[in-house]
Amino acid sequence: MTANPAPPLRADARRNRERLLAGAATLISARGADVPMEEIAQHAGVGVGTLYRRFPDRHSLIRELAADMFRRGIAIAEADPGGLTGWDALVRLVRFCGEPELGALASALRPWLAEHRDADAELRDLTMTWLDRFERTVRRAQDEGAMRADIDGADLLNFISLVSCRMPELSAEASRDATARYLEIVLDGLRV
Amino acid sequence: MTANPAPPLRADARRNRERLLAGAATLISARGADVPMEEIAQHAGVGVGTLYRRFPDRHSLIRELAADMFRRGIAIAEADPGGLTGWDALVRLVRFCGEPELGALASALRPWLAEHRDADAELRDLTMTWLDRFERTVRRAQDEGAMRADIDGADLLNFISLVSCRMPELSAEASRDATARYLEIVLDGLRV
DNA sequence: GATAAACGGACGATCTTCTTCCACTTGTAT
DNA sequence: ATACAAGTGGAAGAAGATCGTCCGTTTATC
């Protein structure tokens, strides 16, 4: 099992795959992990057949979405620009969580993850790594005495995920703006 | 149309009606406005027939739930214990919003309300009255200079509703606790 | 004890979504 | 330019879920 032959995708197929993932993320953020496969295909401008050829079932599509999301979060947490105080690093991280591609998607995937995470080793690992990176940042800020100590990383992540959820009755931009504003208030509330 | 004959319900029927409403509120808070009617009936310990006899369709059931919810919120906002500063009145009101019967239900009904509110005059009125009472309290706190001025009542209500949503992966008590804790942080963030 | 109200839950109808399949199209290597 | 393997769209059959009705039985009330 050292190397899968993995025939490279044709150019158009790769393009469609990207479109499917991006479109699915948007759609799922707004409507939950159970949007019809047909809509996901339509939204990406392809037929359902194409969707099913690339992802054999809904599970494998969402799995991919979730994994990407965690990887992005971890990458951001690890890409410390340097010279930041713990508090500033936390602020930076929380603001990134306000981005729809992270926060809104994470919110929408919550129920799905709660149900499927445990059955998938890689996903479990990614979850734990992401949580660890987040907690590390929180602890730094707390150790400095800059952040209130009565809430831990997991709890804060949970909190943020509630606030970051996509509000479908608002436009995409309005929803994103609202989330950003609310997160600033949360940050104010976290300051000692 | 001055008076509807409205034959009074038999005692057992009235009891079942209450159970249905209470159970539906709990179930819908956790799973959204589209839980199967059958489950709602089961949860209340009655058959679907009974549910449908009392509420001819899902719409009329949810309508009732929503109206009750607004009435409770309005009653609380209007029951000022007196002698409170604007800020303290706001804190009191926000904490009430953390109660599952208000906040979690409001969160769950959001999508439904967004779609059906406009077609129902009474519901529209209740929404506006509730919003008005809430905004009034917010403005009092802001006029005192106790609360940040860059967020208005409607926006804060929206914010609170995100935070108050039932977290189904947690037990009812844990979810309620978490909401309460998060709201305290929000309140801290709202303080000037 | 009579009677009207209320009850439960099986059932047929309807609607939704999944997933497969195959005739047709397109990228790519020669 | 050509051939062919890879890719595509979308119709259609299968599977399931949910709705709301109906009626024989139970129960509150007088």
Side-chain angles (χ1 to χ4, degrees), chain A residues 1 5 14 90 106 137 143:
Chain A
M1 227 202 258
R14 197 162 52 249
L90 180 67
T137 309
D143 288 348

Side-chain angles (χ1 to χ4, degrees), chain A residues 56-74:
Chain A
D57 54 23
R58 153 177 268 108
H59 188 278
S60 74
L61 168 64
I62 300 192
R63 210 207 81 90
E64 194 66 26
L65 240 38
D68 276 6
M69 176 187 78
F70 283 124
R71 286 193 210 102
R72 269 197 306 274
I74 294 167

Side-chain angles (χ1 to χ4, degrees), chain A residues 110 114 148 150-151 155-156 158-159 162-165 167 169-170 178 181-186 188-190, chain B residues 110 114 148 150-151 155-156 158-159 162-165 167 169-170 178 181-182 184-186 188-190:
Chain A
R110 259 168 89 114
R148 59 196 298 162
D150 60 353
I151 177 170
D155 211 25
L156 178 55
N158 193 32
F159 186 8
L162 295 183
V163 176
S164 309
C165 98
M167 297 162 256
E169 72 276 20
L170 268 46
R181 256 176 306 128
Y182 301 160
L183 284 180
E184 293 305 316
I185 294 176
V186 172
D188 258 26
L190 291 174
Chain B
R110 258 169 90 113
R148 60 196 297 164
D150 61 353
I151 177 170
D155 210 26
L156 178 55
N158 192 32
F159 186 8
L162 294 183
V163 176
S164 308
C165 96
M167 296 163 255
E169 72 276 19
L170 267 47
R181 255 175 308 128
Y182 301 159
E184 293 305 317
I185 295 176
V186 172
D188 258 26
L190 290 174

Side-chain angles (χ1 to χ4, degrees), chain A residues 34-94:
Chain A
D34 48 3
V35 283
M37 295 296 261
E38 168 115 38
E39 276 187 62
I40 295 178
Q42 221 173 308
H43 192 263
V46 305
V48 267
T50 300
L51 170 51
Y52 275 98
R53 191 163 327 91
R54 221 43 74 202
F55 304 95
D57 54 23
R58 153 177 268 108
H59 188 278
S60 74
L61 168 64
I62 300 192
R63 210 207 81 90
E64 194 66 26
L65 240 38
D68 276 6
M69 176 187 78
F70 283 124
R71 286 193 210 102
R72 269 197 306 274
I74 294 167
I76 288 168
E78 289 180 347
D80 192 310
L84 255 47
T85 63
W87 172 256
D88 286 339
L90 180 67
V91 169
R92 173 174 165 275
L93 195 49
V94 169

